C-alpha cells in the first residue's frame, strides 16, 4: 500500500512539474534554440528537478521582476508593439468619440478622465504620424499641446480632476473641429 501511494505522489509531482514548465515556457524566436528552462522534461528525474527549481523561484512581490505597468500617458496607440505603426487618425478619433457619452460619476470619474486623456494622447500621436502630416491637423494638435502644458506631465487623478473642465473642453473642441473636417481623417 505504501508503494502505490508513493508511486501516485511521484506521478502527480511529475505531472505538475511538466505542467509548470510548460506554463512557464517563453516563446522562442524563429531559428533560435529554446532555453534550458523552457525545454520539456524528458524524464521523471528531470521533471522533479524542474519542480524543485520552480518552487525555489521567488514568491510574487519578491525581488523578481514582474510585468511592467502600463505607460502613464499611453493612449490607445501606446499599447502597440514597439516599431509598429501608430493608430490611424479615424480609429483614434472613434476612440475619442466613444467618450462623449461618459461623465465623471463618483464611481467612474478616475477611469473616465484617464480615458479621455489617453484618447486625446492617442489621437495626437496618430495625427502627428499621419501621412498627410501634422500640418493637416493644426488646431487639434495645438489644443492637445495646450492641455499637456497645463497638466505639466502629471496624469494623476487629482491633477486630471483639477483640470477636468479644460480636459473635457479640449475633447469637445477637437470633436467639433474633426466633424467639420471629415476628409482629414477618412
Amino acid at each position: 500500500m505504501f508503494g502505490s501511494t508513493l508511486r501516485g505522489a511521484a506521478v502527480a509531482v511529475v505531472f505538475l512539474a511538466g505542467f509548470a514548465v510548460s506554463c512557464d515556457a517563453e516563446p522562442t524566436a524563429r531559428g533560435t534554440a529554446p532555453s534550458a528552462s523552457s525545454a520539456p522534461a524528458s524524464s521523471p528525474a528531470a521533471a522533479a528537478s524542474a519542480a524543485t527549481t520552480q518552487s525555489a523561484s521567488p514568491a510574487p512581490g519578491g525581488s523578481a521582476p514582474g510585468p511592467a505597468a502600463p505607460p502613464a500617458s499611453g493612449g490607445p496607440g501606446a499599447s502597440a508593439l514597439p516599431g509598429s505603426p501608430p493608430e490611424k487618425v479615424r480609429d483614434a478619433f472613434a476612440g475619442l468619440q466613444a467618450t462623449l457619452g461618459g461623465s465623471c460619476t463618483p464611481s467612474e470619474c478616475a477611469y473616465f478622465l484617464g480615458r479621455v486623456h489617453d484618447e486625446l494622447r492617442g489621437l495626437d500621436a496618430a495625427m502627428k504620424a499621419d501621412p498627410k502630416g501634422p500640418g493637416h491637423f493644426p488646431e487639434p494638435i495645438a489644443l492637445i499641446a495646450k492641455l499637456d502644458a497645463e497638466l505639466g506631465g502629471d496624469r494623476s487623478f487629482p491633477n486630471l480632476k483639477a483640470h477636468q473642465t479644460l480636459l473635457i473642453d479640449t475633447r469637445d473642441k477637437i470633436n467639433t473641429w474633426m466633424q467639420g473636417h471629415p476628409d482629414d481623417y477618412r
Side-chain angles (χ1 to χ4, degrees):
M1 179 163 143
F2 179 73
S4 66
T5 305
L6 184 58
R7 192 174 23 232
V11 169
V13 167
V14 169
F15 173 78
L16 291 174
F19 181 75
V21 169
S22 69
C23 289
D24 191 42
E26 295 180 18
T28 59
R30 260 190 150 157
T32 61
S35 66
S37 66
S38 65
S42 58
S43 69
S49 171
T52 304
T53 303
Q54 291 294 327
S55 66
S57 61
S63 62
S73 63
S79 64
L81 295 173
S84 65
E87 199 171 20
K88 291 185 177 189
V89 172
R90 69 165 185 241
D91 297 335
F93 180 51
L96 182 67
Q97 285 184 306
T99 68
L100 292 173
S103 63
C104 197
T105 62
S107 64
E108 295 289 319
C109 195
Y111 168 77
F112 172 71
L113 294 178
R115 176 156 181 220
V116 170
H117 178 264
D118 290 349
E119 294 294 347
L120 286 168
R121 299 296 306 140
L123 182 60
D124 185 54
M127 289 176 171
K128 289 177 179 175
D130 190 78
K132 296 173 187 174
H136 220 68
F137 308 97
E139 289 180 46
I141 290 174
L143 288 168
I144 294 169
K146 179 182 174 190
L147 173 67
D148 286 346
E150 286 290 322
L151 292 175
D154 182 1
R155 186 199 180 277
S156 68
F157 172 64
N159 194 42
L160 292 178
K161 183 69 175 158
H163 294 90
Q164 178 178 347
T165 302
L166 177 62
L167 184 66
I168 301 305
D169 285 350
T170 301
R171 177 201 64 186
D172 293 345
K173 287 177 183 176
I174 289 174
N175 181 55
T176 300
W177 189 91
M178 295 292 283
Q179 293 292 336
H181 298 83
D183 291 337
D184 290 341
Y185 63 90
R186 291 196 174 146

